[in-house]
Amino acid sequence: MAQAWRCSGLRWSADGPVLAWDGGRRSALPRGKRVAFGVEEGGARTCVGARGHPCPLGAAVPGRSTGARCEECARLDRAHSVAADTLADDPRPYRVYLAWFGPGMVKVGITAAARGPARLLEQGAVCFSWLGTGPLMAARRAEELLRAALGVPDRIPYAEKRAVRAVLPEGEAERAAEIAGLHARAVALGGWPESLGREPFRPVDHVGVFGLAGAPAAVGEVGELVAGGVVSGELVAAAGPDLHLATRSGVVVLDTRLLAGWGLVPAEGGERGPGVPVRRLRRAEPQEGLF
């Protein structure tokens, strides 16, 4: 029986996306690569634990969960995150950003300055610009200011991001237009934290990095993995945690967060299409921008 590997997530490096595995091994994912793996026969999906520690119960988790954690481990993991505001004394500088995912789809967020654009790549941001840099709580106040004053959300569901990728404007200037106007309004707001230095509008476009330009539109998405199932396809694009795989049935999106918690093995017969539940991908209609 082939050795089973456990995936710890998709990471974005300067050279593109890589799959990370427990034990430190990494697999580069250049476009055109054949991605093929099977799920252990008779296996079950188990909780990945929290903060580097295994789940004490080895609890089962649903196949459709993108978190791959049981309720208790999810609570412990979030309790030590920036999002939970439990790290108020973090001395590192943070950056506030505006991210655009498609027409009418803009969010505000913060990330540690040391991480550079990694957080934006991980979220699948098609275009983004920095707003300001400063202490964590100042960055958090600016984020709240934009949410309250301009109605900009701090979260956008991945299903909505996937649905809009097929209707993205072709030009970089068009893709940056919405955050350009919003950036100008944001830095002009009263109540901007004094310790947060404002940054000029400099849009960064990820369409080329993701491989979305000219890529065929996805027709489906993997709903979950199942014991004994097989996924196989040629990588045509990658955005955030999503791999766009060309199969005999068309391009199918695999959210790599669904891999965590499963034992994965080399696939038998690399030309097979996804042998796991696949649902039709919802398509977004072109729409006007927010502003």
Side-chain angles (χ1 to χ4, degrees), residues 96-99 106-110 131 143 146-147 152-154:
V96 187
Y97 61 80
L98 287 170
V106 180
K107 66 156 284 188
V108 60
I110 68 173
L131 267 172
E143 181 185 42
L146 266 66
R147 290 176 59 192
V152 184
D154 64 349

Side-chain angles (χ1 to χ4, degrees), residues 110-238:
I110 68 173
T111 184
R115 296 204 68 208
R119 179 64 178 150
L120 285 305
L121 291 164
E122 291 167 356
Q123 293 182 74
V126 174
C127 180
F128 83 93
S129 178
W130 302 118
L131 267 172
T133 303
L136 171 58
M137 297 315 293
R140 180 65 78 197
R141 286 195 299 274
E143 181 185 42
E144 292 297 327
L145 176 64
L146 266 66
R147 290 176 59 192
L150 302 181
V152 184
D154 64 349
R155 288 182 178 85
I156 294 177
Y158 278 97
E160 295 182 18
K161 299 175 188 179
R162 293 184 193 114
V164 80
R165 286 180 194 148
V167 295
L168 296 176
E170 292 186 4
E172 288 191 19
E174 295 175 271
R175 294 193 289 267
E178 283 187 63
I179 56 173
L182 189 56
H183 186 284
R185 295 177 62 191
V187 297
L189 286 173
W192 189 267
E194 293 183 4
S195 58
L196 191 76
R198 306 182 198 197
E199 298 194 31
F201 178 66
R202 292 196 180 99
V204 179
D205 194 276
H206 287 153
V207 163
V209 176
F210 292 155
L212 295 173
V219 297
E221 59 184 337
V222 174
E224 62 181 308
L225 300 187
V226 294
V230 174
V231 172
S232 177
E234 179 184 316
L235 184 65
V236 296

Side-chain angles (χ1 to χ4, degrees), residues 59-119:
V61 292
R64 295 187 179 184
S65 168
T66 55
R69 289 185 172 90
C70 67
E71 184 175 339
E72 181 62 17
C73 287
R75 184 188 66 79
L76 290 172
D77 190 69
R78 182 170 175 80
H80 295 84
S81 70
V82 170
D85 282 339
T86 57
L87 302 175
D89 58 348
D90 189 339
R92 298 176 299 168
Y94 278 77
R95 303 184 88 173
V96 187
Y97 61 80
L98 287 170
W100 183 88
F101 300 89
M105 202 172 294
V106 180
K107 66 156 284 188
V108 60
I110 68 173
T111 184
R115 296 204 68 208
R119 179 64 178 150

Side-chain angles (χ1 to χ4, degrees), residues 225-254:
L225 300 187
V226 294
V230 174
V231 172
S232 177
E234 179 184 316
L235 184 65
V236 296
D242 295 343
L243 303 181
H244 291 226
L245 304 175
T247 74
R248 290 181 177 179
S249 302
V251 174
V252 173
V253 178
L254 170 65

